[in-house]
Amino acid sequence: MGRRPLDIEKIALDLILSDDTVNKKKLAQKIFNIAYKKGIYLSSIHQFYIARGKLEFGGFTVPAINLRSMTLDLSRAIFRVAQRNNAGAFIFELAKSEMGYTNQPPVEYAAVVIAAAVKEGYSGPVFIQGDHFQVNAKKFGESPDKELEDLRVLIEEAVGAGFYNIDIDSSTLVDLSKATIDKQQYWNYEVCAKLTQFIRKIQPRGITVSVGGEIGEVGHKNSTPEDLRAFMQGYAKRLRKGLIGISKISVQTGTSHGGVVLPDGTVAQVKLDFDTLKTLSEIARSEYGLAGAVQHGASTLPAEAFHKFAEIDTAEVHLATEFQNMIYESKYFPKELKAKIYDWLKVNAAGEKKEGESEEQFFYKTRKKALGPFKGEIMGLSQDARDAIAGEIEQKFEFLFKQLNSVNNKDLVNKHIILKRVISRKHHEKEAVVHDGEGAD
């Protein structure tokens, strides 16, 4: 008798619920091995974005989706939407901060997403991104070397786990008090160049990690063409000659992460500057060969705004908070569990409550911090409950893919992204092996 096939969902759930790092890595490797045999590969979107920068195609926006909870169920929903719409250009991502408060280290996140692809019968490249690998301005001011070393450790861990797309956010170092735009952007492009060089040094051979830069901190002053040019010119000078640079640029156009919550708990309407976004995308492509501009903090925008991103050729849009909100507000999410989480927040996040802030504002702002501590209980919900919650959010994914016109681009992705399996060589050295005899880049 042959061996029984491994249950990919059970392996993924064991991985999610394990607190042992070594065990997580073993379970993740099992998942990756199964996926490779089915033609599912963690990939970089770099070549696809460079082709877009050369104006080979356009007219759609790549959704980059942060999954803070129920990652297995929601990844499966995304792959179902992708298959129904023949989509290949979509990104799963997790921010530096989210890895902490959701208790999802890179190896877990990557493996769970890949397990979802296997479960749904998806095949081809899968893009996982480190979102907002952000420099802490205060810590950088106190000890630049230590802050950058901490980021290098995170980047190496993420790339080692298959995050072949990394967004560097050193826009926190932009200093608007400086007299010239070049001086305002100096530490931003300096640090972005240093971290790009580090990524090029540690990326697996044959893989060009897609790197993103950022010129305006989300929630602050809107970006300008002058900001973009100052950053790109400074970055080009600081980047070691011959190295491949960034493939896209994140800008600020009026949004804030998570939206602005009103005293009654509803989210304020955001006025997003689409003209600025369009102008910066055009400059990024025509002058620097990038895929275009990236919009952060967009998931809580009004539904009628999303079609505009594709119309103005925004390269990528980041979506996170709305999906977390939909989990918490779902009629299928147990009221008892939500009450338990809110009671926990009253104690464990009490220091974050501001004077004059309503309880609704406090819970909305802090409830993301409970996703890690309550990960086991959320994933311990009945399969029926998880399926029902994921089904509601799947409808939102479907809406977004269509509004962003991120449909019928699977063939384009397959044309530009050659599938490669990354295997270990020596202790810290890795190389990419071309799959099925196809040529290297």
Side-chain angles (χ1 to χ4, degrees):
M1 287 177 64
R3 287 191 303 175
R4 291 175 60 193
L6 293 168
D7 184 342
I8 196 86
E9 191 166 18
K10 183 182 184 308
I11 299 170
L13 285 169
D14 287 347
L15 168 60
I16 291 165
L17 298 175
S18 173
D19 291 323
D20 182 86
T21 303
V22 173
N23 189 44
K24 275 187 187 292
K25 288 181 178 177
K26 283 182 180 175
L27 293 170
Q29 195 55 56
K30 275 187 181 180
I31 290 169
F32 294 142
N33 289 342
I34 293 167
Y36 291 143
K37 291 171 184 171
K38 295 180 180 295
I40 304 165
Y41 287 74
L42 290 163
S43 300
S44 164
I45 205 167
H46 177 83
Q47 299 296 350
F48 184 77
Y49 274 178
I50 294 305
R52 183 168 194 166
K54 292 176 181 174
L55 308 181
E56 292 184 24
F57 52 84
F60 62 87
T61 297
V62 174
I65 299 169
N66 304 56
L67 299 177
R68 296 174 178 170
S69 186
M70 292 181 56
T71 300
L72 179 62
D73 306 279
L74 297 187
S75 297
R76 289 183 62 187
I78 290 168
F79 284 120
R80 289 195 293 269
V81 169
Q83 287 175 304
R84 283 198 296 272
N85 292 282
N86 191 32
F90 54 99
I91 295 170
F92 298 86
E93 64 178 4
L94 204 63
K96 171 189 170 187
S97 59
E98 289 171 327
M99 290 171 187
Y101 65 69
T102 69
N103 189 19
Q104 294 187 99
V107 71
E108 175 185 322
Y109 191 79
V112 169
V113 168
I114 290 296
V118 173
K119 189 73 178 170
E120 293 302 326
Y122 188 84
S123 64
V126 174
F127 307 110
I128 302 187
Q129 183 158 276
D131 178 30
H132 275 300
F133 276 27
Q134 189 176 76
V135 181
N136 183 302
K138 184 171 182 284
K139 291 179 181 177
F140 184 83
E142 293 166 354
S143 176
D145 290 344
K146 184 179 185 311
E147 178 63 6
L148 292 189
E149 182 54 30
D150 288 348
L151 274 168
R152 289 188 190 101
V153 169
L154 174 66
I155 288 167
E156 190 157 21
E157 180 187 358
V159 172
F163 282 56
Y164 297 143
N165 309 275
I166 302 288
D167 277 2
I168 297 167
D169 181 9
S170 43
S171 68
T172 49
L173 303 179
V174 172
D175 186 349
L176 298 177
S177 71
K178 298 294 185 185
T180 67
I181 295 175
D182 178 74
K183 286 179 179 174
Q184 290 172 11
Q185 290 284 339
Y186 175 79
W187 282 112
N188 185 14
Y189 64 66
E190 172 80 9
V191 167
C192 189
K194 281 184 177 179
L195 292 177
T196 302
Q197 284 166 189
F198 177 72
I199 289 168
R200 298 292 170 240
K201 180 181 173 186
I202 59 111
Q203 67 191 8
R205 191 180 302 165
I207 296 283
T208 302
V209 170
S210 173
V211 179
E214 186 155 346
I215 57 170
E217 192 178 354
V218 175
H220 292 258
K221 171 184 167 286
N222 280 11
S223 303
T224 67
E226 292 76 22
D227 294 335
L228 175 56
R229 291 187 176 109
F231 174 87
M232 290 302 299
Q233 287 162 15
Y235 176 79
K237 287 176 188 171
R238 302 306 294 168
L239 192 66
R240 197 170 294 136
K241 195 171 180 182
L243 283 188
I244 294 169
I246 61 174
S247 61
K248 58 183 177 177
I249 190 80
S250 295
V251 301
Q252 168 55 8
T253 60
T255 61
S256 62
H257 285 306
V260 177
V261 66
L262 302 172
D264 65 356
T266 60
V267 180
Q269 290 286 299
V270 176
K271 185 169 175 55
L272 189 146
D273 188 345
F274 280 102
D275 288 338
T276 292
L277 191 57
K278 181 179 181 182
T279 299
L280 294 175
S281 262
E282 288 172 348
I283 292 170
R285 278 190 292 273
S286 63
E287 297 183 23
Y288 303 105
L290 306 182
V294 177
Q295 176 65 56
H296 284 269
S299 73
T300 53
L301 289 172
E304 60 270 17
F306 282 94
H307 70 94
K308 294 179 184 176
F309 290 115
E311 288 174 7
I312 62 170
D313 251 340
T314 309
E316 182 178 304
V317 64
H318 289 215
L319 308 157
T321 304
E322 180 65 9
F323 312 126
Q324 167 197 290
N325 292 347
M326 290 179 76
I327 291 172
Y328 274 124
E329 302 306 328
S330 173
K331 64 185 178 184
Y332 301 106
F333 193 85
K335 290 185 175 63
E336 313 77 50
L337 179 54
K338 189 173 175 181
K340 187 177 177 183
I341 286 170
Y342 282 13
D343 284 342
W344 183 89
L345 289 169
K346 287 177 187 176
V347 175
N348 293 276
E352 295 185 44
K353 195 167 195 314
K354 293 180 181 174
E355 192 175 340
E357 190 174 60
S358 72
E359 198 166 65
E360 286 80 5
Q361 286 173 307
F362 168 70
F363 288 139
Y364 183 91
K365 180 183 72 176
T366 59
R367 61 187 179 177
K368 64 185 182 182
K369 304 283 182 72
L371 294 172
F374 286 88
K375 182 169 78 166
E377 290 188 54
I378 293 171
M379 288 309 293
L381 296 177
S382 71
Q383 190 66 57
D384 286 346
R386 281 171 33 218
D387 286 347
I389 295 167
E392 291 177 333
I393 300 173
E394 183 172 343
Q395 293 176 38
K396 183 74 169 182
F397 291 147
E398 181 95 31
F399 169 82
L400 290 167
F401 270 62
K402 288 178 176 173
Q403 290 295 300
L404 298 172
N405 199 32
S406 191
V407 297
N408 295 318
N409 54 27
K410 184 79 186 275
D411 291 344
L412 262 182
V413 169
N414 290 340
K415 175 184 175 184
H416 292 284
I417 307 296
I418 295 174
L419 293 180
K420 297 183 174 110
R421 179 176 183 177
V422 175
I423 60 169
S424 295
R425 287 209 320 187
K426 295 178 187 173
H427 185 46
H428 283 302
E429 195 177 354
K430 292 181 176 181
E431 68 175 330
V433 177
V434 180
H435 175 55
D436 286 345
E438 294 181 53
D441 290 345

